[in-house]
Each structure stands twice: as C-alpha cells, then as structure tokens.
Amino acid sequence: MKLFMITGVSSGLGEQIANKLIQRKEKIVAIGRKFTKSQLDVSQISPELIHLLNCDLANDNDLNSLLDKFTGDYFNDVNEIVFINNAGVIGPIKKVGQYDDADSIKNNINVNYFAPLILINQLVRIAPITKKIKIINISSGAATKAVEGWSLYCSSKAAIMMFLSVLEKERDNIEILNIDPGVMDTKMQQSIRNSNFNEFPLIDQFQKYKDDDQLKDAVTVADEIVKRIIK
Ligand SMILES: NC(=O)c1ccc[n+]([C@@H]2O[C@H](COP(=O)([O-])OP(=O)(O)OC[C@H]3O[C@@H](n4cnc5c(N)ncnc54)[C@H](OP(=O)(O)O)[C@@H]3O)[C@@H](O)[C@H]2O)c1
C-alpha cells in the first residue's frame, strides 16, 4: 500500500491532486493551513483514508508542532511513501532592490524551500530504510530560467530542486521526480496578473495567456500527474 503526503491542498493543483487521490481511495496525509469542505467531510467520514494536518508552512512554530505529529506510525502497513511538494507562493513579485521588508521575503523562502526541506528531512529521518520513498516536486520553468521580478520564486524553486538532487545521490531507496506543470489557471496566476509592469515586465504576456484561454486547467494537469505517479 502507498501513503501519499501532499502539501497545499486548499486550491489549484494541490486541491485537484488530492481530489483524484480521494476518488481512488488512496491513503493521504494532507498538510496545509486551509482545507476544502469536501476534504474536511471526507476526513470525518473516512479518517483512515485522509488525515489533515494544519500547518502554516511559513510559520516556524507551526512547522515545529507539525514535526512532533509527523511520526513513524503513519508508515505502518505502507510499503511506499509518495511525498508531493506542492504548496508554493510566487510573491512578493518585485525587482531586486524593490523588496521593502524581510518578512515577505522570508514567507516566500519558507514556503517554497525551507518547509519542504524540513519535512523531507523528517520523512527521510523517520521512514524505515526498507520503505520506498518517491518525492514529487512540483517545480516550475522558473527553477531553471531567470524571470525579472521573480527572483525569490526562481531562487527558492531552484534551491529545493538542488536539495533534492543531493538527496537522490545520497539514498538508493529515494526517487525524485521534478514536475513542471506548465502555466495553469490557478490563484497563483491571478497574483501574477495583479502585479504591475514596474515589478514584472512580462505582465502583458501573462494577461494574454488568460485572455486567449491558454492557461491549463488544474484538473487536467492533476489527472496527468496522478496517472504518472500511481504506476
Ligand atoms: N499556476 C501556475 O501557472 C504554475 C506554474 C508552474 C508551477 N506551479 C506550481 O504549482 C504549485 C501549486 O500552485 P497553484 O498554481 O496550484 O497555486 P495556488 O492555487 O495558489 O495553490 C498554492 C497552494 O499552496 C498553499 N500555500 C501557500 N502558502 C502556504 C503556507 N504558508 N502554508 C501552507 N500552505 C500554503 C496554498 O494554501 P492557502 O490557500 O492556505 O494559501 C495553496 O493550497 C506551486 O508549487 C507552484 O509553484 C504553478
């Protein structure tokens, strides 16, 4: 049996991946600061299938109390653990020199890099060596391509990808899959369109993706990802 652990299931891609896994009756541990009504309902009706762990991934106290709850008990009766690092933030969208407070910078780095690093370290620390571990990192073209205005997003996405490359070299029982989902119609794209030309010179191009209906549907992307990781 597989155990799926996934971050950020309240909206967008994470919500849709969680929906697909719930439909398939897979065993899930979902981590986030908000959950949808249907996730809350399923966790009440079938607690053996979905366990919801409340955590603001940008908050150190939340992260520490999550680590206390994140124990080896989850892995009983499981031979493979699939950890999906999905939660992510794009902002603040600004050029270097325009950032005006450290907290908003830390928020981005914490969600995109620090929290997944801490959670994956804990997973590797407590999961018995006999279990297969697959880490699905929802990445982005921005992890390898510099985009003006996205210095935090590009660098934090690049950092977690490199962290995982090192981990993959260190352990034979761990497989890493970086997936760039492409440009999807989610809240993240809304934040991009809500920025301005001074901070993000490509804003018109991203507005056009929306106007011309070129954004991918998160439901379709989630379907492809789940099919890929289930086999
Ligand atoms: N949309 C795109 O075009 C695109 C392109 C390439 C890659 N991606 C990647 O796809 C992944 C999913 O993004 P999305 O497009 O589905 O955007 P989204 O709808 O904004 O979803 C982001 C998820 O991350 C969670 N999250 C953000 N900050 C959090 C925090 N402090 N603590 C806990 N959870 C937090 C959000 O929860 P809250 O509701 O609590 O904020 C939400 O569930 C991200 O890793 C993103 O980098 C997206």
Side-chain angles (χ1 to χ4, degrees):
M1 192 203 275
K2 285 185 172 69
L3 170 70
F4 291 86
M5 305 189 81
I6 176 166
T7 61
V9 294
S10 62
S11 67
L13 182 62
E15 178 185 1
Q16 298 310 328
I17 293 177
N19 283 351
K20 300 276 167 205
L21 294 172
I22 290 168
Q23 279 162 21
R24 294 180 56 99
K25 300 211 177 324
E26 302 288 352
K27 195 173 167 183
I28 308 169
V29 174
I31 300 165
R33 56 184 175 176
K34 282 185 244 155
F35 300 100
T36 65
K37 177 162 186 325
S38 89
Q39 290 159 0
L40 291 165
D41 288 348
V42 179
S43 76
Q44 292 290 314
I45 298 161
S46 311
E48 71 292 354
L49 281 186
I50 180 161
H51 190 73
L52 306 178
L53 291 174
N54 258 297
C55 179
D56 177 343
L57 295 169
N59 181 298
D60 285 348
N61 292 335
D62 271 21
L63 208 50
N64 283 330
S65 47
L66 176 67
L67 290 185
D68 291 339
K69 291 179 213 147
F70 189 174
T71 68
D73 292 349
Y74 283 113
F75 311 137
N76 297 338
D77 309 324
V78 160
N79 48 31
E80 181 174 344
I81 303 145
V82 181
F83 183 95
I84 307 173
N85 174 39
N86 169 77
V89 284
I90 184 110
I93 297 177
K94 286 179 190 297
K95 290 186 188 165
V96 178
Q98 292 176 332
Y99 298 120
D100 43 22
D101 72 298
D103 284 348
S104 63
I105 295 175
K106 267 164 62 185
N107 187 74
N108 182 296
I109 306 295
N110 283 351
V111 176
N112 294 345
Y113 179 53
F114 187 64
L117 180 162
I118 294 285
L119 294 176
I120 290 164
N121 176 66
Q122 179 76 347
L123 170 63
V124 174
R125 206 159 73 87
I126 63 176
I129 191 89
T130 49
K131 311 274 178 190
K132 187 170 190 291
I133 301 178
K134 205 184 261 182
I135 297 172
I136 311 299
N137 181 39
I138 303 300
S139 188
S140 162
T144 52
K145 182 170 174 266
V147 181
E148 282 179 75
W150 290 5
S151 56
L152 296 177
Y153 184 66
C154 291
S155 57
S156 55
K157 285 289 197 185
I160 193 66
M161 206 154 93
M162 179 52 85
F163 173 80
L164 294 172
S165 299
V166 174
L167 169 61
E168 194 172 33
K169 275 202 172 220
E170 290 172 350
R171 297 284 292 258
D172 287 340
N173 65 325
I174 300 182
E175 185 188 336
I176 312 286
L177 195 56
N178 290 296
I179 297 183
D180 171 5
V183 200
M184 297 177 291
D185 199 1
T186 64
K187 280 197 317 193
M188 186 173 276
Q189 285 295 320
Q190 240 165 41
S191 319
I192 294 170
R193 293 192 300 274
N194 287 342
S195 64
N196 67 56
F197 181 82
N198 274 341
E199 295 161 342
F200 180 52
L202 293 181
I203 188 163
D204 288 351
Q205 182 183 323
F206 279 74
Q207 182 61 54
K208 199 165 179 322
Y209 290 149
K210 175 72 175 168
D211 296 343
D212 294 353
D213 221 9
Q214 286 181 40
L215 297 174
K216 291 185 181 177
D217 178 10
V219 178
T220 313
V221 179
D223 199 32
E224 289 163 6
I225 292 176
V226 170
K227 279 189 186 135
R228 202 167 151 193
I229 60 181
I230 231 78
K231 39 174 198 182

